[in-house]
């Protein structure tokens, strides 16, 4: 093991902070926050509450497993905090043309997003943050959400957000991902009456997520430097055909896929988060 990695291991957080409580499932609370999200699709804080109310029991064990592995320790040494890396667009733009980094910068700048902004949304909950591996692992899950948009090809339209959450469920089977994806899809169908294949697109996204490795368990700096097409192929991320078909039909119906639920539905407020 490299000397710099050995030195960094001493800075690793504890596996589980002694003050960290065990979360329990509260489905009625999740439903309440989903209804609040329907009132304001930009209210990302509601998504964090839903994830806490539907916490996945095995997430804690998986965080510790990965964090204490040789791979996890090496990644923690080089990437202790992803927003610092993801928001350094000057550094990312220095990577090759056609790389994931350039596509990520294009996406974030066009949408007016920052990784730090998503962190701030989560902090609105006012929950304590614990210096342990569960916090670090959960943060990586959260901080790679917008990177998943770039890798998968799903936009920040209403359906695109549901599909990214379904893709994430394929990699991280938290019921919260699936609940928001399908409940959001149902709301989209109800509000628009569209014949577009909403649920087929969501199901396809879930299969695509399951087919590849967990993105947040990878070295993100190395991934950003890869050519985008090569990264998609390596990660076994398929073409979102049903999603594109849904957009085609929506436009045939005279609807703008990026403005379907401007007043009433969940869309680009649906960022991924884990109750870390």
């Amino acid at each position: 093991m490299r000397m710099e990695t050995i030195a960094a291991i001493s800075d690793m957080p504890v596996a589980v902070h002694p003050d960290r409580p065990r979360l329990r499932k509260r489905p009625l609370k999740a439903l309440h926050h989903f209804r609040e999200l329907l009132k304001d699709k930009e209210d990302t804080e509601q998504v964090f509450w839903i994830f806490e109310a539907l916490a996945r029991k095995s997430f804690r064990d998986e965080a510790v497993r990965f964090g204490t592995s040789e791979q996890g320790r090496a990644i923690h040494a080089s990437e202790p905090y992803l927003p610092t890396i993801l928001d350094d667009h000057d550094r990312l733009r220095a990577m090759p043309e056609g790389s994931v980094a350039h596509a990520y910068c294009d996406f974030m700048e066009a949408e007016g997003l920052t990784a730090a902004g998503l962190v701030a949304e989560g902090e609105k909950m006012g929950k304590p943050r614990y210096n342990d591996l569960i916090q670090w692992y959960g943060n990586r899950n959260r901080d790679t959400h917008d990177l998943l948009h770039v890798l998968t090809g799903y936009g920040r339209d209403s359906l695109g957000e549901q599909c990214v959450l379904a893709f994430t469920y394929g990699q991280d089977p938290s019921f919260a991902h699936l609940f928001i994806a399908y409940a959001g899809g149902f709301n989209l169908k109800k509000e628009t009456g569209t014949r577009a294949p909403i649920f087929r697109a969501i199901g396809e996204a879930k299969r695509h997520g399951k087919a590849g490795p967990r993105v947040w368990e990878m070295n993100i700096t190395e991934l950003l430097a890869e050519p985008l097409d090569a990264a998609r192929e390596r990660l076994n991320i398929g073409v979102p055909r049903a999603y594109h078909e849904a957009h085609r039909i929506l436009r045939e119906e005279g609807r703008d896929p990026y403005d379907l639920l401007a007043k009433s539905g969940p869309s680009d407020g649906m960022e991924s988060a884990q109750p870390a």
Side-chain angles (χ1 to χ4, degrees), residues 55-67:
R56 179 162 67 90
K57 186 176 181 181
S58 58
F59 184 83
R60 175 185 293 231
D61 292 339
E62 291 178 7
V64 174
R65 170 198 56 77
F66 179 74

Side-chain angles (χ1 to χ4, degrees), residues 207-250:
R207 293 193 299 275
H208 286 177
K210 189 175 181 180
R214 290 175 169 175
V215 171
W216 61 92
E217 290 188 356
M218 306 178 65
N219 185 301
I220 299 302
T221 304
E222 293 177 358
L223 173 61
L224 287 163
E226 286 187 57
L228 178 58
D229 290 341
R232 286 171 171 166
E233 182 176 358
R234 181 174 67 83
L235 300 176
N236 203 26
I237 297 176
V239 177
R241 302 185 191 282
Y243 171 72
H244 292 318
E245 175 68 4
H247 272 218
R248 183 187 68 78
I249 292 174
L250 286 166

Side-chain angles (χ1 to χ4, degrees), residues 6-276:
I6 293 174
I9 287 175
S10 63
D11 297 326
M12 288 285 287
V14 297
V16 181
H17 194 281
D19 295 335
R20 175 180 289 280
R22 281 195 173 273
L23 299 177
R24 60 186 179 89
K25 281 188 170 58
R26 302 175 66 184
L28 293 180
K29 183 177 177 63
L31 183 59
H32 164 74
H33 286 289
F34 182 75
R35 287 170 173 163
E36 291 300 308
L37 182 61
L38 290 179
K39 295 176 184 177
D40 180 4
K41 66 188 179 65
E42 301 290 346
D43 188 4
T44 307
E45 181 187 347
Q46 301 302 324
V47 178
F48 289 92
W49 285 112
I50 293 170
F51 273 92
E52 180 176 85
L54 298 176
R56 179 162 67 90
K57 186 176 181 181
S58 58
F59 184 83
R60 175 185 293 231
D61 292 339
E62 291 178 7
V64 174
R65 170 198 56 77
F66 179 74
T68 56
S69 68
E70 183 176 357
Q71 178 188 6
R73 288 172 177 267
I75 289 178
H76 185 276
S78 61
E79 298 179 343
Y81 188 63
L82 280 179
T84 302
I85 296 170
L86 293 170
D87 283 342
D88 188 353
H89 286 202
D90 288 340
R91 180 187 178 194
L92 298 185
R93 289 290 188 190
M95 292 182 180
E97 292 283 346
S99 65
V100 176
H102 277 254
Y104 178 78
C105 289
D106 290 344
F107 176 81
M108 298 296 280
E109 291 167 11
E111 298 290 344
L113 300 173
T114 64
L118 183 54
V119 175
E121 287 296 319
E123 289 180 346
K124 289 180 180 179
M125 294 174 69
K127 293 287 184 176
R129 316 303 284 173
Y130 301 100
N131 183 28
D132 60 12
L133 290 178
I134 299 172
Q135 186 78 59
W136 174 71
Y137 188 78
N139 287 350
R140 289 180 68 86
N141 183 301
R142 173 200 65 200
D143 298 334
T144 51
H145 173 81
D146 288 315
L147 182 59
L148 290 184
H149 274 285
V150 174
L151 291 169
T152 61
Y154 295 118
R156 292 184 72 239
D157 56 290
S158 300
L159 179 57
E161 285 293 349
Q162 319 312 323
C163 286
V164 168
L165 288 168
F167 179 93
T168 308
Y169 175 84
Q171 302 207 329
D172 169 22
S174 164
F175 181 68
H177 288 112
L178 210 58
F179 168 70
I180 303 176
Y182 277 102
F186 176 79
N187 184 68
L188 195 158
K189 273 281 193 183
K190 179 172 70 73
E191 292 293 326
T192 65
T194 180
R195 62 184 178 85
I198 302 301
F199 295 113
R200 183 153 56 88
I202 292 171
E204 180 184 60
K206 182 175 66 173
R207 293 193 299 275
H208 286 177
K210 189 175 181 180
R214 290 175 169 175
V215 171
W216 61 92
E217 290 188 356
M218 306 178 65
N219 185 301
I220 299 302
T221 304
E222 293 177 358
L223 173 61
L224 287 163
E226 286 187 57
L228 178 58
D229 290 341
R232 286 171 171 166
E233 182 176 358
R234 181 174 67 83
L235 300 176
N236 203 26
I237 297 176
V239 177
R241 302 185 191 282
Y243 171 72
H244 292 318
E245 175 68 4
H247 272 218
R248 183 187 68 78
I249 292 174
L250 286 166
R251 291 191 175 96
E252 280 185 356
E253 294 173 343
R255 308 176 191 275
D256 179 357
Y258 290 89
D259 195 30
L260 284 175
L261 300 174
K263 295 182 179 179
S264 59
S267 178
D268 46 15
M270 287 195 170
E271 306 297 344
S272 180
Q274 280 289 351

